[in-house]
Amino acid sequence: MKRSYRKTDMPVEQIRQLLEPGPIVLVSSRWQNRNNIMTMGWHCVMEFSPSLIGCMITATNHSFDMVRQSGECVINIPTADMLDTIIGIGNTSGRSVDKFKKFHLTPGEVATVSAPVIEECYAHFECRVADRKMLEKYNFFILEVKRATAAVWPRYPRTVHYRGNGVFMESGRNIARPEKFRPQNL
């Protein structure tokens, strides 16, 4: 059955409430022997191989300079049970606070970068800045994932997605249709 919706105009600056597909991530960075964590909701997969992720970090954010200077970071995927921590990290500046200590998080070992993983998170992507062409104009980092690790269970964790204006959404149930899925070379 086809469905029709009644529609109205919406402010274009609010489209992310409907378009933002990815989960909230925690970006850990390290520069000059200091660690930091930021909450990020704006990122996208840009390429599969090499694995590239694009993300925007506001230039006034403490993590912007840390990632820009070090040329690396770790994208950590938290689960929905960490929502209060996710929000707290996003509302705290790393310029004056050690967020690992404040939020009782464990910095973990990495293999390819100096920034630590957050042990309490479900998955970790160790990244290096691969391209800086859009950095000065748009604060847009293009990161190459050098190593990825993830928990073996659950296969599909409950994650948090930001809808804007302080509204979060928890990932819903999985709808599998493998018999209908046909990968295409686009």
Side-chain angles (χ1 to χ4, degrees), residues 84-99:
D84 289 341
T85 300
I86 292 165
I87 294 169
I89 288 169
N91 289 331
T92 306
S93 173
R95 285 186 178 89
S96 56
V97 171
D98 180 335
K99 294 184 189 183

Side-chain angles (χ1 to χ4, degrees), residues 150-161:
V152 296
W153 187 88
R155 185 169 179 190
Y156 300 105
R158 291 177 17 250
T159 55
V160 177
H161 305 254

Side-chain angles (χ1 to χ4, degrees), residues 25-29 36-40 55 57 63 67 72-76 89 116 118 143:
V25 298
L26 298 174
V27 178
S28 52
S29 55
N36 192 39
I37 309 169
M38 70 168 281
T39 300
M40 176 189 289
C55 63
I57 301 175
S63 290
V67 175
E72 59 186 36
C73 64
V74 176
I75 295 176
N76 302 273
I89 288 169
I118 301 169
L143 306 171

Side-chain angles (χ1 to χ4, degrees), residues 6 20 28 54 70 76-78 91 112-113 120 124 126-127 129 131-132 151 154-155 163 169 174 176 178 180:
R6 187 174 72 83
E20 189 65 51
S28 52
S70 68
N76 302 273
I77 300 179
N91 289 331
T112 64
V113 298
E120 290 77 8
H124 319 283
E126 298 175 26
C127 302
V129 176
D131 191 327
R132 296 175 182 260
R155 185 169 179 190
R163 302 294 302 259
M169 174 181 79
N174 292 313
K180 293 184 178 187

